[in-house]
Amino acid sequence: MPPRLKLLLVDREPADRHAVREAAVAAELDVEFEEIESPERALELLTANRYDCVVLDSSFPSPDGLSLIDSVRAAGDNTPILVLTGREEDSGTALVAAGATDYLSKSELTPLRLVQRIRYAIRRGDIEGQLSNAASLLARDRRLFLAVLDQLPAGVVVLAPSGEVLLANSTIDRLLWPGAFVGGSLDASGPTVRRLDGTVLSLDEWPVRRALDRIEVIPAEDLIVDDVRGRRYLRVSAAPVLDDSGLLIAAAMTVDDVSLERQARNEALKLAHARENLMAIVSHDLRSPLNAISIAIDELADPSLEPEMRQRYVDAVRRSIGRGDRLIRDLLDATTIEAGKLVIAIQVVSVREFLERFVWEQQMLTEQAKMPLRLEIDGDLGTIRADPYRLHQALTNLLVNALAHAKGSGVIRIIAGRDGSFVSIGIRDRGPGIAAESLPHVFDRFWQARRHDRAGAGLGLAIAKGIAEAHGGSLDVSSVPGEGACFRILLPIDGLQGRTR
């Protein structure tokens, strides 16, 4: 047995309400009427209760009837509304256009027609309600889908076969350029996009267009985009989207920024190449002391060798061993620094005492090179917390670098002072200086090893920089070609942030 219908009858004329009730009874319609005379009261009841249908008299002074329909629909209420009109059919048509479900002229009111229209209105209302719910769910799912798309690190765009953009996330604008996919197709006013071989990519050659035209998967390829943000490398791929019958309905394209990946790969290749060069150079540099040791041992095996010559060969062996040992230690230090595992042993160090002792220890070396060493300290620098052994090693590397590149150019100055919250210790020479194009590379590991005029394996400056940074400081360089160079270590006055043991 079908459930009893609950109807809201809104009509200011008692006779009209009675006619509707009588028609319902005559049609044996199992219905419960709730009768009211004003649209305002109807809105209150619809807000608080559920009705199967509203029967509304269209003779209310305008815009009362329309206002009720507008308010009900604006509130998202899909309750069917059957409008009872007078003789003018246009009024019912206007109300249906405004949101009413159906209308029935009072002059045609019969039990059969009333029942037919009420049932039709209820069925249509059910269908419209289902469609509305489905549309709301679809809109919600679309918002959710777009929100997920916008969180993806890859750019995503979906094109219809006509070329119209169906979907595009915000990452596309960031990876390509703002408004790249606006107006239904790729924006032709954007920057030039090129393949890795330098050829310009036309709009029709974009992977998403090719996926539409060929109906096939387009493998990933790398593209180059140059604009005000610099150069970016993008990895782009696309695939067609087919329905169950195999009909093309769209094509989807993904865009990834692989600039950092390419940069890391290039850096790794450069480092590998530099290491290969280094191994060749180290092999050569180790061979020299080993050859000297071999020759000296052969000579020392001669029992008739004079004592003076014997001592000279012994000294030569010691010097060769020292050179080999220094090279091996530099390699170990460079590897440790590169791995970020350099350990420093912190002590309280008096800056003046440390530098005076360092100058005294290096005096003989610089005098032999005929390049006197002068210490200049500006003010009382007090103490810092540092590893004196590692700091000595860094300054020695800088001094050896100055002696190697500024031969016979006069005094080498060690200048110490304060620079903000740092103690500054600089080693300045009056040599030929450093070319501008070489300045960005002087601290690169193994860079010196790649130069034809190298003075060593190219590790000393890189090690000095690693030691300065392990102390929470830095190492910089300034130079004017023809006027010498100054390497400056900056150490924090208020303590170290480095690793300790």
Side-chain angles (χ1 to χ4, degrees):
M1 183 175 180
R4 191 177 198 191
L5 298 178
K6 184 176 181 180
L7 272 61
L8 180 63
L9 179 55
V10 186
D11 195 323
R12 61 181 179 177
E13 296 294 335
D16 289 343
R17 296 200 301 271
H18 177 76
V20 172
R21 286 198 310 274
E22 288 298 316
V25 171
E28 299 182 351
L29 184 65
D30 188 11
V31 61
E32 173 188 344
F33 281 107
E34 186 164 356
E35 302 177 23
I36 57 174
E37 298 181 1
S38 70
E40 293 80 5
R41 177 58 180 157
L43 185 60
E44 295 176 6
L45 291 173
L46 283 169
T47 303
N49 303 285
R50 180 189 175 279
Y51 296 92
D52 294 295
C53 186
V54 176
V55 180
L56 173 66
D57 182 12
S58 67
S59 64
F60 285 105
S62 180
D64 289 350
L66 284 173
S67 297
L68 173 61
I69 296 173
D70 288 342
S71 299
V72 169
R73 298 305 183 225
D77 191 334
N78 295 313
T79 302
I81 300 176
L82 175 63
V83 179
L84 298 179
T85 67
R87 294 184 179 276
E88 296 182 4
E89 186 174 299
D90 289 344
S91 63
T93 305
L95 288 169
V96 169
T101 309
D102 198 6
Y103 70 93
L104 175 63
S105 173
K106 292 181 181 179
S107 63
E108 298 177 347
L109 180 63
T110 65
L112 179 59
R113 286 178 178 171
L114 178 64
V115 171
Q116 288 176 337
R117 293 301 176 90
I118 288 175
R119 286 176 174 167
Y120 168 76
I122 291 174
R123 285 197 302 272
R124 181 175 173 179
D126 288 342
I127 294 172
E128 290 177 348
Q130 293 172 14
L131 289 175
S132 177
N133 291 336
S136 297
L137 291 174
L138 184 61
R140 184 200 64 182
D141 291 345
R142 180 183 175 85
R143 289 194 298 271
L144 178 62
F145 181 62
L146 291 176
V148 172
L149 278 184
D150 281 340
Q151 295 303 313
L152 294 178
V156 178
V157 63
V158 180
L159 262 60
S162 63
E164 178 187 359
V165 177
L166 300 178
L167 287 172
N169 66 355
S170 59
T171 312
I172 280 286
D173 284 352
R174 179 173 59 81
L175 294 183
L176 295 178
W177 53 88
F181 285 93
V182 172
S185 62
L186 182 67
D187 178 20
S189 64
T192 300
V193 180
R194 294 180 290 113
R195 295 187 174 92
L196 295 184
D197 62 7
T199 59
V200 175
L201 192 72
S202 69
L203 295 182
D204 291 336
E205 292 175 320
W206 272 81
V208 68
R209 292 297 317 176
R210 282 181 280 156
L212 284 174
D213 296 339
R214 303 177 188 176
I215 315 181
E216 64 181 28
V217 174
I218 306 301
E221 63 176 316
D222 287 356
L223 304 174
I224 302 173
V225 178
D226 290 306
D227 58 16
V228 293
R229 292 178 289 173
R231 170 164 294 184
R232 302 189 304 286
Y233 289 88
L234 305 178
R235 184 160 297 153
V236 185
S237 61
V241 181
L242 309 177
D243 65 10
D244 293 340
S245 64
L247 180 67
L248 177 70
I249 57 176
M253 181 176 71
T254 59
V255 181
D256 288 286
D257 190 335
V258 294
S259 302
L260 293 179
E261 175 187 324
R262 290 188 63 87
Q263 180 182 348
R265 183 167 66 248
N266 291 339
E267 291 296 327
L269 290 174
K270 289 180 182 178
L271 187 57
H273 182 62
R275 283 173 172 166
E276 290 175 3
N277 290 340
L278 176 69
M279 290 302 104
I281 291 166
V282 169
S283 298
H284 175 273
D285 288 358
L286 278 176
R287 193 177 298 117
S288 296
L290 289 176
N291 288 338
I293 291 171
S294 177
I295 294 171
I297 289 176
D298 288 342
E299 294 296 331
L300 287 171
D302 183 359
S304 63
L305 191 64
E306 296 291 333
E308 181 179 348
M309 292 300 297
R310 185 179 299 277
Q311 185 58 47
R312 289 179 61 184
Y313 283 122
V314 169
D315 292 342
V317 169
R318 287 173 177 164
R319 286 195 299 272
S320 297
I321 292 174
R323 287 199 301 273
D325 180 63
R326 282 195 300 274
L327 181 58
I328 291 171
R329 283 189 284 110
D330 281 352
L331 284 171
L332 292 174
D333 284 341
T335 302
T336 301
I337 290 171
E338 185 178 357
K341 296 181 179 179
L342 182 66
V343 177
I344 57 175
I346 295 176
Q347 299 179 28
V348 177
V349 177
S350 167
V351 177
R352 177 176 290 277
E353 291 179 5
F354 173 83
L355 291 177
E356 288 177 346
R357 184 167 58 252
F358 177 79
V359 170
W360 180 81
E361 291 174 352
Q362 303 295 334
Q363 202 74 51
M364 184 177 295
L365 176 65
T366 59
E367 287 177 355
Q368 288 176 349
K370 297 182 180 181
M371 297 178 67
L373 189 60
R374 179 185 301 165
L375 175 62
E376 302 174 7
I377 299 179
D378 183 13
D380 181 11
L381 300 182
T383 62
I384 58 173
R385 299 177 69 237
D387 183 334
Y389 169 76
R390 290 297 185 184
L391 186 55
H392 189 285
Q393 180 185 7
L395 290 176
T396 300
N397 288 355
L398 298 180
L399 180 59
V400 169
N401 179 75
L403 293 172
H405 291 92
K407 295 178 181 178
S409 59
V411 174
I412 294 179
R413 299 159 61 202
I414 298 181
I415 306 170
R418 292 202 176 201
D419 186 343
S421 59
F422 292 86
V423 167
S424 168
I425 304 174
I427 295 185
R428 180 184 296 276
D429 64 64
R430 302 296 296 177
I434 304 171
E437 63 271 16
S438 297
L439 275 174
H441 303 288
V442 294
F443 298 121
D444 292 353
R445 296 179 181 92
F446 320 127
W447 178 74
Q448 180 70 22
R450 300 196 293 273
R451 296 180 56 190
H452 298 298
D453 60 342
R454 68 185 182 88
L459 296 173
L461 295 180
I463 291 172
K465 184 173 186 291
I467 291 172
E469 291 175 349
H471 280 76
S474 62
L475 173 60
D476 60 32
V477 59
S478 59
S479 177
V480 176
E483 298 183 13
C486 180
F487 288 84
R488 190 176 63 139
I489 292 179
L490 294 173
L491 300 172
I493 295 173
D494 57 352
L496 298 179
Q497 305 300 322
R499 290 170 295 277
T500 62
R501 62 166 179 254

